[in-house]
Amino acid sequence: CLLLAVPGVLFGTAALGYLAQALFPAWNANLAFTFGAITAATDPVAVVALLKSLGASAGLTMIITGESLINDGTAMVVYQVFLLTALGHKDAPEGFVGALLLFVKMAFGGVALGMVFGGVALGLLSLVHQRGVSAHSGTTWQFSITLIVAYISFFVGEQVLKVSGVLCTVTAALMIAMYGNPLFGDHEAMHRVWHTLEFIGNTVIFILAGALVGGTMVKFGLVMYLKLLAVYLGALGARAAMLTLFWPLLQRWELMDQYSAITKSDGLVIAWGGLR
């Protein structure tokens, strides 16, 4: 997941950035690579649901899900580095070294802050668990803690400390998932509530995206639609090239895991399904 979500996103950003420069000559390099960062991240919401309903292997589902979870943080960091530079913002990095330092600050700062919030959340969950509150009240408290930590970790990371809010929230969530499992009284209720929130959130996002983009799409001419098709095919090609490059490592590391080794058929699903 980390291999695809970090170097994989950087590879995709570079490939799609150069493609954008070729298709849209009016864009400067920073704007083109901002676009590359946006299109390099995967969002396989529908694919993940389909894999679960079809009974796909746990390894394949975890790779696609885990990559999409982590790569948002990488893509957001790269996106902000290039966007600040493209806009000439006062916080824009100077040169390659400045961009690298900003990337390190946002990425590693987000992870470090997420560990802090994850630790606080685990402490609060442990306190509720130790007090032995009733099952219903305990579940309410536990859900409230996870919800508050999810939002406040993103806000503090993104708006207050100027690090990656996505990576901060993801890191806090991973800590809760790894160490908080014995502290939850009703795992099924927690899963149901969070899955409901996930469904509502995804639905609202796609409705808003359609409403905002739809008004612009009707103004496009045929040439722009052909360029959009070229971007889509380019994204597929870049992802396939990235997976081909990293395939030996993916197979080697998967053999070391608890799941069976991924096959070439799995690779096709990862390549195509990741861009939904």
Side-chain angles (χ1 to χ4, degrees), residues 31 38 75 82 103 118 120 126 146 159 161 169 175-176 203 246 271:
L31 192 59
I38 295 171
F82 283 113
F103 179 88
V120 172
S126 178
T146 57
Q159 300 296 328
L161 299 181
T169 304
M175 287 191 63
I176 294 172
T203 303
F246 293 152

Side-chain angles (χ1 to χ4, degrees), residues 4-24 27-43 67 71-72 74-83 86 231-232 234-236 238-239 242 274-275:
L4 297 177
V6 182
V9 166
L10 297 177
F11 181 96
T13 299
L16 292 165
Y18 285 118
L19 176 63
Q21 282 186 299
L23 291 173
F24 308 102
W27 292 5
N28 60 35
N30 289 316
L31 192 59
F33 287 112
T34 300
F35 176 80
I38 295 171
T39 49
T42 61
D43 190 17
E67 178 198 0
N71 71 11
D72 281 345
T74 308
M76 279 295 293
V77 172
V78 177
Y79 162 79
Q80 290 189 13
V81 168
F82 283 113
L83 182 64
V231 168
Y232 175 69
L236 284 174
R239 185 161 176 80
M242 180 270 292
L275 293 173

Side-chain angles (χ1 to χ4, degrees), residues 18-251:
Y18 285 118
L19 176 63
Q21 282 186 299
L23 291 173
F24 308 102
W27 292 5
N28 60 35
N30 289 316
L31 192 59
F33 287 112
T34 300
F35 176 80
I38 295 171
T39 49
T42 61
D43 190 17
V45 176
V47 172
V48 170
L50 185 62
L51 288 175
K52 291 179 179 179
S53 65
L54 292 176
S57 70
L60 175 61
T61 303
M62 179 55 66
I63 287 175
I64 294 178
T65 306
E67 178 198 0
S68 68
L69 183 70
I70 302 169
N71 71 11
D72 281 345
T74 308
M76 279 295 293
V77 172
V78 177
Y79 162 79
Q80 290 189 13
V81 168
F82 283 113
L83 182 64
L84 290 174
T85 306
L87 297 177
H89 196 274
K90 60 181 179 66
D91 295 329
E94 295 183 4
F96 175 77
V97 175
L100 183 62
L101 290 175
L102 180 59
F103 179 88
V104 170
K105 173 202 168 186
M106 294 184 68
F108 289 93
V111 172
L113 184 62
M115 294 176 69
V116 173
F117 275 106
V120 172
L122 288 171
L124 293 173
L125 290 170
S126 178
L127 185 63
V128 172
H129 180 72
Q130 290 174 3
R131 290 197 172 186
V133 294
S134 65
H136 174 74
S137 179
T139 301
T140 302
W141 274 104
Q142 290 166 348
F143 169 72
S144 300
I145 290 169
T146 57
L147 182 65
I148 292 169
V149 168
Y151 277 91
I152 199 171
S153 61
F154 180 87
F155 177 80
V156 172
E158 196 78 17
Q159 300 296 328
V160 179
L161 299 181
K162 305 300 180 183
V163 297
S164 173
V166 175
L167 287 177
C168 178
T169 304
V170 168
T171 303
L174 286 173
M175 287 191 63
I176 294 172
M178 285 189 293
Y179 303 111
N181 197 50
L183 304 176
F184 291 108
D186 191 338
H187 293 82
E188 185 178 354
M190 187 67 65
H191 277 288
R192 284 183 176 180
V193 172
W194 272 107
H195 279 307
T196 301
L197 286 179
E198 178 189 18
F199 173 77
I200 294 172
N202 282 321
T203 303
V204 170
I205 286 173
F206 283 108
I207 288 176
L208 288 175
L212 293 171
V213 175
T216 305
M217 294 287 286
V218 295
K219 302 175 184 177
F220 287 166
L222 178 60
V223 174
M224 180 59 74
Y225 277 103
L226 291 176
K227 288 185 177 182
L228 288 173
L229 178 62
V231 168
Y232 175 69
L233 295 176
L236 284 174
R239 185 161 176 80
M242 180 270 292
L243 280 169
T244 302
L245 180 65
F246 293 152
W247 190 252
L249 284 174
L250 282 172
Q251 284 196 311

